[in-house]
Amino acid sequence: MPHDPMILPTGLPVPSDDGACDHLPGARMPALSLPSTGGDAFRVDLVPGGAERLVLYAYPRTGRPGEDPLVPDWDLIPGARGCTPESCAFRDHAGELRAAGATVAGLSTQDTAYQREAAERLRLPFPLLSDASLELTGALGLPTTRVAGTTLLRRLTLVIRGGVVEHCFYPVFPPDGHAAQVLAWLRDHR
């Protein structure tokens, strides 16, 4: 059976909170611009016009239908599986998130060309940002993992307001329900 990144299998291991993001709430965002599937560089410290907050969700890597995952035991790595369903959930809640005062962007260490294919295939109404150089990852001390010689971000979400991390969701599980969790938090913190 070909690999389908849209489907979350049952029994995925739940990631635990290892404290790797405890330092992020209150942290100032660096004045960095990252390559974006929107075509322009995207400043991560500035909330785009018309919004109060930037929701920046980080994920290990999106997959492609019919392609094998990075490693055969991908589903056994806590928090690895579910990047595509998470992105689709943010897509499906994009209007509600905007109404709650937030704009959304995704973040991974995949290159922009790979991300562009995913953004187009999934019809994402927001940009995916590439931190292939690990510039933002290093500046903020974001948690990573190495898989098959590749540095990947662990799944987390930053809520940025006024150039500062207002809130951090970590660990994130289940990934397909996370956008609704972020939306509920935004509505509770107007």
Side-chain angles (χ1 to χ4, degrees):
M1 178 177 215
H3 175 73
D4 186 350
M6 290 294 296
I7 298 173
L8 282 177
T10 59
L12 288 174
V14 178
S16 61
D17 188 349
D18 58 2
C21 288
D22 289 354
H23 66 287
L24 291 171
R28 179 146 301 280
M29 290 297 290
L32 295 175
S33 295
L34 296 178
S36 162
T37 57
D40 296 329
F42 190 102
R43 284 277 301 267
V44 296
D45 60 323
L46 302 176
V47 175
E52 300 167 28
R53 294 175 167 118
L54 169 62
V55 171
L56 185 61
Y57 74 97
Y59 57 92
R61 65 189 317 270
T62 55
R64 290 181 176 154
E67 286 186 8
D68 289 335
L70 194 56
V71 292
D73 60 350
W74 181 254
D75 291 358
L76 302 178
I77 302 169
R81 181 73 180 258
C83 303
T84 301
E86 181 182 27
S87 293
C88 290
F90 274 106
R91 174 199 66 203
D92 296 345
H93 287 288
E96 294 166 282
L97 290 159
R98 264 191 310 280
T103 191
V104 175
L107 174 72
S108 77
T109 59
Q110 294 170 293
D111 65 47
T112 305
Y114 193 102
Q115 291 177 327
R116 187 171 294 112
E117 184 281 329
E120 290 171 1
R121 175 173 36 89
L122 301 173
R123 300 179 322 278
L124 301 180
F126 51 80
L128 299 179
L129 312 180
S130 175
D131 193 23
S133 67
L134 303 177
E135 191 175 10
L136 179 62
T137 299
L140 284 178
L142 298 179
T144 62
T145 190
R146 295 258 321 153
V147 178
T150 304
T151 300
L152 303 173
L153 288 166
R154 287 196 259 157
R155 192 180 315 280
L156 63 104
T157 297
L158 303 176
V159 179
I160 301 157
R161 186 177 201 164
V164 174
V165 177
E166 180 180 15
H167 187 72
C168 179
F169 292 88
Y170 177 84
V172 170
F173 194 85
D176 59 343
H178 181 55
Q181 180 186 33
V182 171
L183 179 58
W185 186 92
L186 289 169
R187 287 175 172 161
D188 288 345
H189 294 86
R190 287 298 300 217

